[in-house]
Amino acid sequence: MDKVLDVKNLHVSFDTHAGEVKAVRGVDFHLMKGETLAIVGESGSGKSVTTKTLMRLIPNPPGRIKEGQMLFEGKDLVKLSEKEMEKIRGKEISMIFQDPMTSLNPTMTIGKQVMEPLIKHQNMSKDAARKRAVELLSLVGLPNPEERVKQYPHQFSGGQRQRVVIAIALACNPKILIADEPTTALDVTIQAQILELMKDLQKKIDTSIIFITHDLGVVANVADRVAVMYGGQIVETGTVDEIFYDPRHPYTWGLLSSMPSLEASEEIELYAIPGSPPDLLNPPKGDAFALRSEYALKIDFEKEPPIYQVSDTHFVKSWLLHPEAPAVEPPAMVQQQKRPMPSNYDKPVLFEEAR
């Protein structure tokens, strides 16, 4: 597969009255053609800032890209002018936002809103755009699309509005679709329908998807690869199987342990990660997760860990993978995964433990 997107050493900051908030700090990831990459993490970890930066939707000021590259088909999106980005935004790269009601204009019919990108980016006539809008509404599973194009957002349910937003995002057959927690505002039954719809549409139009979520249950159903984000950095990347069955970063362990499981024994209580995400106005020295981790080593408070390669697709930013790190066992909830968890923590204990 070919790379459709390659993000290298991305730094994004916001200048506030209190000082510089370093929201994204040296993020690297890539997206292959036709794959779904899920970016997961708590609120405040930098997921949405990263993806809005890809669309160049971060207001400047106060936001700014300090450093890095965002290579899309050989073009660095960081260096493009706003006029050049307007030709890409909505056509080559589209985005589905969290709340469908605030994504739609309440004063415009659904038909006009679906037609807008077709007229702007595809130079379609109004008649051709209306015909295509009906086809798109049918594609996303809305009944009676010929009638529904004449209606307004308030005449649709939450799940139906999200289908409309997906139709708008897919109108120009984008090469990348960014979905920023698209099911958060929906109930569980409708969530499942929307996720199934996105998987089906991806196969039909062969687009690549970046899926932003804090729900690991969603990840298991939609993603090919997962990037775990914390404190403005990506701390672990791997295939879905690697993240679920062979996680190596303590933060990933925490996220997995906090997931309810029908298979967990009654003796194991649901885990909650202690503390709060770091203040990125003054990012912590060393490993950003150290203050919340029971597995923290002395070096975690002194020096930022490098990225260790576990396999061709699995990368972890943690001192626990250093050859001299102590052997540690993942939490019980993580070890209850369906497959045995391989471990290479068989090196001598030379690092001084913090606690």
Side-chain angles (χ1 to χ4, degrees):
M1 288 194 295
D2 297 326
K3 278 186 189 178
V4 67
L5 178 71
D6 198 4
V7 176
K8 299 179 179 179
N9 195 33
L10 182 65
H11 291 257
V12 182
S13 289
F14 292 87
D15 296 312
T16 69
H17 294 297
E20 180 187 351
V21 176
K22 298 172 183 176
V24 175
R25 305 184 295 139
V27 161
D28 294 272
F29 68 90
H30 66 271
L31 181 67
M32 306 302 286
K33 185 177 180 182
E35 82 164 343
T36 298
L37 171 70
I39 302 180
V40 303
E42 294 168 284
S43 296
S45 58
K47 309 183 302 296
S48 293
V49 172
T50 299
T51 49
K52 285 177 181 173
T53 302
L54 290 176
M55 295 281 285
R56 292 275 301 276
L57 291 175
I58 298 296
N60 183 8
R64 57 192 168 93
I65 301 171
K66 286 183 65 179
E67 192 179 339
Q69 292 180 303
M70 300 186 299
L71 301 175
F72 170 66
E73 296 191 325
K75 299 186 289 280
D76 188 354
L77 301 178
V78 173
K79 296 179 179 177
L80 297 187
S81 66
E82 177 58 25
K83 196 165 186 179
E84 289 171 318
M85 276 304 301
E86 285 176 2
K87 295 177 182 177
I88 292 175
R89 199 184 292 130
K91 180 182 180 183
E92 307 279 356
I93 306 175
S94 287
M95 194 163 188
I96 303 169
F97 295 94
Q98 276 190 39
D99 187 349
M101 197 61 206
T102 57
S103 301
L104 296 170
N105 187 331
T107 66
M108 288 174 64
T109 64
I110 291 299
K112 284 187 178 179
Q113 295 185 63
V114 179
M115 289 163 59
E116 196 171 38
L118 295 168
I119 294 170
K120 178 177 176 60
H121 292 300
Q122 308 279 36
N123 297 317
M124 284 189 179
S125 66
K126 284 188 177 181
D127 287 343
R130 177 172 286 276
K131 184 178 178 182
R132 179 59 180 155
V134 171
E135 291 174 358
L136 285 164
L137 292 183
S138 177
L139 184 68
V140 297
L142 282 173
N144 304 318
E146 295 87 353
E147 293 301 316
R148 308 231 69 178
V149 290
K150 305 170 188 174
Q151 296 178 336
Y152 290 85
H154 73 270
Q155 295 173 280
F156 290 71
S157 69
Q160 289 173 332
R161 286 196 292 263
Q162 195 62 293
R163 288 172 186 266
V164 172
V165 172
I166 292 171
I168 294 170
L170 295 177
C172 298
N173 293 328
K175 290 170 183 172
I176 297 176
L177 177 64
I178 300 170
D180 187 0
E181 303 203 30
T183 60
T184 300
L186 307 175
D187 65 58
V188 176
T189 306
I190 304 301
Q191 277 187 27
Q193 293 176 12
I194 295 297
L195 292 173
E196 194 60 39
L197 170 66
M198 291 185 67
K199 284 166 65 178
D200 184 50
L201 291 174
Q202 183 182 26
K203 292 174 187 173
K204 289 180 179 176
I205 68 172
D206 194 29
T207 190
S208 302
I209 297 177
I210 299 176
F211 200 99
I212 309 300
T213 185
H214 59 264
D215 186 345
L216 281 169
V218 167
V219 169
N221 293 324
V222 301
D224 300 304
R225 285 190 305 120
V226 182
V228 181
M229 200 162 183
Y230 182 79
Q233 299 177 324
I234 289 177
V235 297
E236 184 163 9
T237 309
T239 64
V240 168
D241 280 0
E242 286 168 336
I243 295 300
F244 275 84
Y245 300 126
D246 186 22
R248 300 297 183 96
H249 197 284
Y251 181 60
T252 312
W253 295 347
L255 291 178
L256 289 168
S257 297
S258 61
M259 282 179 61
S261 172
L262 295 175
E263 297 174 0
S265 64
E266 294 180 6
E267 291 79 19
I268 298 178
E269 293 183 10
L270 193 62
Y271 178 76
I273 301 173
S276 302
D279 178 8
L280 295 181
L281 190 61
N282 297 294
K285 185 180 178 182
D287 187 337
F289 189 59
L291 287 171
R292 304 176 70 188
S293 174
E294 62 185 279
Y295 306 96
L297 309 171
K298 182 179 179 182
I299 194 170
D300 281 313
F301 297 93
E302 298 173 352
K303 191 174 180 181
E304 186 176 313
I307 296 174
Y308 292 92
Q309 184 170 354
V310 179
S311 73
D312 290 343
T313 53
H314 196 179
F315 299 86
V316 185
K317 190 181 179 68
S318 171
W319 284 115
L320 286 177
L321 272 77
H322 191 281
E324 298 179 4
V328 296
E329 286 292 326
M333 285 291 285
V334 174
Q335 293 190 56
Q336 281 200 344
Q337 300 296 337
K338 293 179 183 176
R339 301 180 192 176
M341 295 184 59
S343 176
N344 61 358
Y345 302 135
D346 54 1
K347 303 293 183 180
V349 181
L350 299 180
F351 278 28
E352 182 182 347
E353 294 190 46
R355 47 191 137 169

